[in-house]
């Protein structure tokens, strides 16, 4: 399928993998790119040397383009930004902030820069700053989220900017992807479904929680202090939300979550760890290879879009 995004990024299929902390390492990113999508290494809170190594390891597996997501709240964001220039990373996505200060250096070495935006205002600002496309990410997503839904955000961002728009949040199959195209998107970003991919190094307990999740199984912690995080409900979210309601200070709440995502993803502690996942987890029912996931979604999408043309 050809869209403005497949042309811009030199990929076969307009599916971009989310840059999920701890999960989006080189095995997953390389598998998504080898399958025709755009694999992303999630720099999250990792040091720059880790990011450099992951880029190089991914390149040993596939020669297809691979991108990196920079999480702008990371203490290592400046160093990571520099590594991406040195490694000539073709596509850079950003999350959890405004990447304005890096835009010039990334663009000067030919990288395509695609910020995640959660509002029309930021989408406009990013376009003015030279963004090659934007990812309009709705509140259905897992992890750090904005307030607007995908259904409302994507068409408003589509109308506000000329650059291509990638829809994200709540997309897990061909119906979601076809709907995103109807809203004006040129591609989709998918996270949660790739967490359960066979190539994902995520702990089996974590994958099983996603596979068993129901439609309303996620909770959002941190709303009171402006860092809302969507994750699957467990002992940890129960305690956190109770303390949050009691007005426990941010610093104390923060202590509860230190290392908690790693504990869930790497060690499989899905009871006390942070199990980030989007609202679409309830739809995800099995572990498949990235190739199977992409082929299935594309087949469903093509059938739906064809039907829309026929009728
Ligand atoms: O970034 C994400 N999702 C994430 S990042 C993450 S790891 C983390 N670690 C520590 C603290 C917080 C998170 C887990 N999930 N998605 C992209 C995203 N960006 N969603 C929403 C936004 C966003 C929100 C507000 C982007 C910009 C923004 O405003 C920027 C500004 O300064 O105006």
């Amino acid at each position: 399928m050809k869209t403005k995004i497949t042309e811009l990024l030199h990929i076969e299929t307009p599916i971009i993998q989310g840059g999920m902390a701890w999960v989006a390492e080189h095995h997953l990113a390389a598998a998504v790119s080898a399958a025709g999508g755009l694999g992303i290494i999630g720099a999250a809170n990792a040091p720059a040397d880790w990011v450099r190594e992951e880029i190089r390891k991914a390149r040993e597996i596939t020669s297809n383009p691979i991108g990196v997501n920079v999480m702008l709240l990371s203490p290592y964001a400046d160093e990571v930004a520099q590594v991406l220039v040195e490694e000539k990373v073709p596509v850079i996505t950003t999350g959890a902030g405004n990447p304005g200060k890096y835009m010039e250096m990334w663009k000067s070495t030919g990288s395509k820069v695609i910020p995640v935006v959660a509002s029309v205002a930021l989408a406009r600002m990013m376009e003015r700053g030279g963004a090659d496309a934007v990812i309009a990410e709705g509140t259905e997503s897992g992890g750090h989220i904005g307030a607007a839904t995908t259904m409302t955000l994507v068409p408003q961002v589509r109308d506000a900017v000329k650059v291509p728009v990638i829809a994200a949040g709540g997309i897990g199959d061909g119906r979601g992807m076809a709907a995103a195209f109807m809203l004006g998107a040129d591609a989709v970003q998918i996270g949660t479904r790739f967490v359960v991919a066979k190539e994902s190094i995520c702990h089996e307990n974590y994958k099983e929680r996603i596979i068993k999740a129901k439609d309303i199984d996620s909770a959002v912690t941190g709303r009171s202090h402006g860092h809302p995080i969507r994750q699957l409900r467990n002992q940890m979210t129960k305690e956190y939300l109770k303390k949050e309601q009691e007005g426990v200070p941010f610093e104390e709440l923060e202590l509860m979550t230190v290392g908690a995502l790693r504990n869930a993803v790497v060690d499989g502690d899905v009871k006390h760890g942070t199990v980030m996942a989007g609202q679409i987890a309830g739809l995800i029912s099995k572990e498949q290879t990235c190739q199977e996931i992409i082929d299935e979604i594309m087949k469903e999408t093509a059938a739906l879009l064809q039907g829309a043309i026929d009728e």
Side-chain angles (χ1 to χ4, degrees), residues 57-120:
K57 285 178 192 163
R59 284 176 172 164
E60 284 171 20
I61 301 174
T62 180
S63 57
N64 288 352
I66 291 172
V68 174
N69 174 269
V70 180
M71 206 280 281
L72 295 162
L73 295 171
S74 166
Y76 301 108
D78 286 351
E79 297 160 41
V80 169
Q82 185 56 40
V83 162
L84 304 191
V85 171
E86 289 161 17
E87 294 295 319
K88 298 189 171 56
V89 170
V91 186
I92 301 171
T93 67
T94 65
N98 179 344
K101 69 171 175 170
Y102 304 121
M103 203 69 102
E104 210 177 294
M105 77 188 254
W106 287 339
K107 300 272 306 177
S108 72
T109 48
S111 298
K112 303 289 185 239
V113 183
I114 312 183
V116 169
V117 299
S119 67
V120 166

Side-chain angles (χ1 to χ4, degrees), residues 19-21 44-45 69-71 73 94-98 116-119 122 125 137 141-146 189 227 229 254 261 276:
M20 303 155 293
N45 280 311
N69 174 269
V70 180
M71 206 280 281
L73 295 171
T94 65
N98 179 344
V116 169
V117 299
S119 67
L122 191 63
M125 197 191 296
E137 190 181 282
S141 302
H144 179 76
I145 50 169
Q189 177 185 272
H227 292 284
I229 301 276
E254 271 285 277
L261 181 61
M276 292 185 193

Side-chain angles (χ1 to χ4, degrees), residues 7-77:
E7 306 273 291
L8 179 74
L9 307 182
H10 307 290
I11 54 176
E12 271 172 40
T13 306
I15 296 181
I16 292 154
Q17 170 231 317
M20 303 155 293
W22 290 102
V23 177
E25 48 70 79
H26 71 275
H27 294 95
L28 183 63
V32 171
S33 286
L38 183 76
I40 299 278
I41 291 164
N45 280 311
D49 282 344
W50 180 87
V51 178
R52 192 194 303 276
E53 283 304 304
E54 290 298 307
I55 294 167
R56 292 182 178 177
K57 285 178 192 163
R59 284 176 172 164
E60 284 171 20
I61 301 174
T62 180
S63 57
N64 288 352
I66 291 172
V68 174
N69 174 269
V70 180
M71 206 280 281
L72 295 162
L73 295 171
S74 166
Y76 301 108

Side-chain angles (χ1 to χ4, degrees), residues 156-308:
Q156 294 184 80
V157 169
R158 169 70 291 153
D159 286 349
V161 298
K162 291 198 175 68
V163 292
V165 176
I166 299 162
I171 302 167
D173 68 4
R175 291 170 297 183
M177 184 161 174
F181 282 129
M182 294 293 146
L183 295 174
D186 303 290
V188 295
Q189 177 185 272
I190 292 181
T192 307
R193 186 145 176 203
F194 284 124
V195 176
V196 306
K198 287 217 167 97
E199 296 91 342
S200 153
I201 51 92
C202 189
H203 197 284
E204 283 303 317
N205 293 354
Y206 200 118
K207 292 185 182 179
E208 196 181 293
R209 276 276 353 240
I210 291 177
I211 286 167
K212 290 196 172 152
K214 303 270 190 301
D215 53 351
I216 54 169
D217 277 355
S218 79
V220 179
T221 58
R223 281 203 196 277
S224 64
H225 51 77
H227 292 284
I229 301 276
R230 183 180 301 286
Q231 54 196 293
L232 294 179
R233 290 177 204 281
N234 60 8
Q235 189 64 34
M236 141 87 130
T237 60
K238 201 170 156 186
E239 284 166 20
Y240 191 106
L241 290 170
K242 185 164 173 279
K243 286 195 181 184
E244 208 177 345
Q245 216 164 28
E246 288 165 2
V248 168
F250 173 58
E251 292 73 22
E252 195 182 319
L253 291 170
E254 271 285 277
L255 287 178
M256 286 178 72
T257 61
V258 175
L261 181 61
R262 186 201 171 279
N263 292 346
V265 174
V266 180
D267 300 333
D269 182 0
V270 293
K271 208 167 168 187
H272 307 99
T274 302
V275 187
M276 292 185 193
Q279 287 184 320
I280 204 65
L283 191 82
I284 295 165
S285 60
K286 55 182 182 292
E287 202 174 333
Q288 292 169 299
T289 64
C290 291
Q291 189 75 61
E292 287 166 347
I293 292 172
I294 289 178
D295 289 349
E296 192 174 291
I297 293 175
M298 287 314 296
K299 199 173 153 206
E300 291 165 356
T301 304
L304 288 165
L305 294 179
Q306 192 57 48

